[in-house]
Amino acid sequence: MDFKTSISLLLLLLLGSCKAHDENDLGADKDTSVDMSDTDDITATILRMNNGSTDFLMEGDVIIPRTRNAMKCYSQKYSCLWPKSANGNVVIPFIISTQYDGTEKREILNALKDFEGKTCIRFVPRNTQRAYLNFESKNGCASLLGTVGDKQRISLQKFGCIKFGIIQHEVLHALGFHHEHTRSDRDQYVKINWEKIYDFYYSNFKKMDTNNLNTPYDYTSVMHYGRNAFGIGRAETITPIPNKSVAIGQNAGMSRIDVLRVNRLYKCQNYM
């Protein structure tokens, strides 16, 4: 069963057919017009929703696995990528909790559907597969990094996290992506104002040994936190260089470069 058929069946079971997002709203070839309004909304929302979370989080919303086996995902010897099928697609089973109402489920499905026209990622309702994404209304907005080969929770709390950009942000974590401001070459593009960050949040700005996939630093990535992330009294903690006035972050969904990275990481030959 392909993704579109699966989605249609799900929607019929929920509330009947509904109008999905216009397929051109976030088209990869038209991404130069990304909505930059309220650019740090995704940061402010995620951090607010994750305040008091009982999960071990790094970078604000990445769940650190508690199990020994899951920690292998952070070793160079093991892959965190979801496997490819013989046809070249990456099929990821998923379950959406019954805690969500019809409108919330549609927003999650629309965010997943947006991947299909731009990448080789395919989300299908889970049957008996061992590894799958489990969308749950737990505290906060958070995800594990990459696949751990078993049930993998994406926490999207009701009344705060069910937004198109936030859903795609957390799914990109599940696909294996860190935040943009922690990529290995970030010091060439942003200045971290350490003196304006609470000491216990320093770890959220630690540079990662990332595979940047030969793509430029992306100020408009949906994975880029806003200027005031973790700031003392909302102080500016991330300053773009050399152009300090450039907008950073956005809340609309995947940028053109976000899409390119997914296709390069998963070797989506027909989408590059």
Side-chain angles (χ1 to χ4, degrees):
M1 181 183 296
D2 61 23
F3 181 81
K4 292 181 178 178
T5 302
S6 302
I7 292 301
S8 297
L9 291 174
L10 280 172
L11 293 180
L12 285 171
L13 290 173
L14 295 174
L15 292 177
S17 59
C18 65
K19 184 176 181 180
H21 278 273
D22 185 335
E23 293 181 355
N24 293 325
D25 284 350
L26 288 171
D29 60 340
K30 297 184 179 181
D31 205 49
T32 54
S33 60
V34 172
D35 179 10
M36 298 302 296
S37 62
D38 196 13
T39 57
D40 68 348
D41 178 70
I42 204 168
T43 306
T45 301
I46 288 175
L47 298 185
R48 174 172 53 81
M49 296 301 295
N50 289 350
N51 184 30
S53 172
T54 57
D55 285 313
F56 296 109
L57 301 176
M58 66 178 182
E59 299 182 28
D61 68 335
V62 179
I63 301 172
I64 301 175
R66 299 171 186 262
T67 65
R68 186 173 182 179
N69 287 342
M71 287 303 292
K72 290 181 178 179
C73 194
Y74 293 88
S75 167
Q76 294 296 319
K77 296 181 180 180
Y78 300 90
S79 173
C80 295
L81 301 185
W82 294 81
K84 294 189 75 170
S85 301
N87 62 6
N89 289 334
V90 179
V91 179
I92 302 178
F94 71 93
I95 290 177
I96 299 178
S97 171
T98 57
Q99 294 172 300
Y100 298 116
D101 64 25
T103 299
E104 292 163 339
K105 289 179 180 178
R106 285 197 298 274
E107 188 71 355
I108 294 172
L109 291 172
N110 285 334
L112 297 182
K113 181 181 178 183
D114 190 58
F115 280 82
E116 184 172 72
K118 302 173 182 178
T119 76
C120 65
I121 307 298
R122 300 291 182 267
F123 296 97
V124 298
R126 185 211 179 206
N127 187 4
T128 60
Q129 299 93 330
R130 177 186 173 188
Y132 64 97
L133 293 180
N134 191 34
F135 292 89
E136 298 180 341
S137 181
K138 301 291 186 180
N139 290 335
C141 324
S143 173
L144 285 161
L145 186 69
T147 178
V148 296
D150 207 337
K151 180 175 78 171
Q152 178 162 332
R153 172 165 59 92
I154 291 185
S155 179
L156 296 171
Q157 186 174 339
K158 292 166 67 75
F159 312 116
C161 299
I162 308 300
K163 299 179 180 179
F164 192 86
I166 290 178
I167 297 165
Q168 290 200 331
H169 179 106
E170 300 304 340
V171 170
L172 285 169
H173 279 318
L175 290 175
F177 292 93
H178 283 282
H179 292 125
E180 189 73 355
H181 75 275
T182 66
R183 64 180 261 170
S184 57
D185 61 350
R186 64 101 185 276
D187 290 336
Q188 301 176 46
Y189 304 97
V190 295
K191 178 180 180 293
I192 305 302
N193 304 311
W194 297 100
E195 73 283 0
K196 297 180 180 179
I197 303 168
Y198 289 107
D199 293 354
F200 44 87
Y201 286 142
Y202 280 0
S203 61
N204 296 308
F205 294 86
K206 179 182 178 181
K207 283 192 295 185
M208 299 296 174
D209 184 19
T210 55
N211 175 3
N212 299 323
L213 299 163
N214 197 30
T215 59
Y217 191 90
D218 185 12
Y219 295 110
T220 69
S221 171
V222 76
M223 304 304 287
H224 203 307
Y225 269 5
R227 290 175 178 267
N228 311 109
F230 303 98
I232 299 173
R234 296 285 293 163
E236 183 172 296
T237 57
I238 305 176
T239 302
I241 54 176
N243 182 3
K244 294 183 179 181
S245 64
V246 67
I248 61 174
Q250 48 90 8
N251 55 29
M254 292 186 294
S255 71
R256 177 183 60 83
I257 296 176
D258 287 331
V259 172
L260 176 62
R261 287 177 186 152
V262 172
N263 287 322
R264 287 189 177 177
L265 183 63
Y266 284 92
K267 297 180 173 58
C268 302
Q269 297 298 330
N270 295 331
Y271 295 87
M272 291 190 291

